[in-house]
Amino acid sequence: MKVVLAEEMNIIDKKNIMEIGIPGIVLMENAAKNVFLAIEKTEIVDKKIAIICGTGNNGGDGFAIARLCKDKGYFVKVFIIGDTSKISGDALTNYNILKNIKVDISEEIENLDNYNIIVDAIFGTGFKGQVYGKPLDAIKLINKSNAYKISVDIPSGAYANTGGISNVCVKASETI
């Protein structure tokens, strides 16, 4: 399995969008489908899913995952970490779809003990720096949980270029 650096992922995405002509929303949907398939493959029977989303494209992947989970009939709740007015582009399209289909969305993260699957879609491969504020609190709650944890692209708090971690990082069961 090859892992790419953040810059390489940006080049791959730009090539797919600009040269090949695949719309970003299609790339987001493909990412969501792959994470959804991983959720389906878990041996957890009564799936109760918390999807923790940032306001960027990683969060947009999370929004699309939430729609797929709701369509399947799973209990799903989305927790948005960040200012929702900053959601834009393809992520905003998926966020608006969630509102239209009445997915339970909260801007305040709660105790995650009632969920047996947690999807980490807070930060993507472009993450740099330290984690603080609501993202810090969210990652600590995710790590405290006994749920099965799936990170989208890379565990939030990890650096794609070095494999190192920030002051805190999601301890994922699986990364898709």
Side-chain angles (χ1 to χ4, degrees):
M1 177 186 315
K2 178 169 172 54
V3 177
V4 297
L5 301 175
E7 293 82 13
E8 292 172 318
M9 193 69 248
N10 282 335
I11 291 168
I12 292 167
D13 282 345
K14 284 181 184 172
K15 181 176 181 173
N16 278 312
I17 293 168
M18 304 302 284
E19 293 178 29
I20 298 174
I22 301 170
I25 194 93
V26 172
L27 298 176
M28 197 170 277
E29 185 72 12
N30 288 339
K33 284 180 182 176
N34 282 305
V35 175
F36 176 75
L37 289 173
I39 290 169
E40 289 268 88
K41 287 180 185 174
T42 66
E43 294 182 7
I44 299 165
V45 178
D46 185 23
K47 293 174 173 57
K48 294 182 180 118
I49 306 162
I51 304 180
I52 320 300
C53 298
T55 57
N57 282 339
N58 200 255
D61 293 343
F63 301 147
I65 295 162
R67 176 183 41 78
L68 294 171
C69 290
K70 179 170 172 83
D71 287 349
K72 182 69 176 190
Y74 296 142
F75 178 85
V76 64
K77 184 166 183 175
V78 172
F79 297 94
I80 300 177
I81 308 304
D83 181 356
T84 57
S85 71
K86 294 185 178 181
I87 301 172
S88 63
D90 298 329
L92 181 61
T93 298
N94 279 310
Y95 174 64
N96 287 331
I97 291 168
L98 286 189
K99 291 192 301 186
N100 291 338
I101 63 171
K102 310 274 191 275
V103 168
D104 191 0
I105 301 171
S106 175
E107 293 180 37
E108 295 298 324
I109 193 153
E110 63 188 36
N111 182 321
L112 298 172
D113 290 342
N114 295 326
Y115 302 93
N116 49 31
I117 298 175
I118 297 173
V119 176
D120 156 35
I122 303 171
F123 301 126
T125 57
F127 172 77
K128 295 177 183 138
Q130 298 291 301
V131 181
Y132 57 91
K134 286 186 177 185
L136 175 66
D137 296 338
I139 291 173
K140 285 180 177 179
L141 281 173
I142 292 168
N143 286 341
K144 183 179 153 194
S145 171
N146 292 323
Y148 190 82
K149 301 166 191 83
I150 300 174
S151 287
V152 179
D153 294 338
I154 189 168
S156 292
Y159 302 122
N161 289 339
T162 66
I165 61 169
S166 181
N167 55 315
V168 68
C169 180
V170 170
K171 294 175 183 162
S173 309
E174 181 176 12
T175 300
I176 307 295

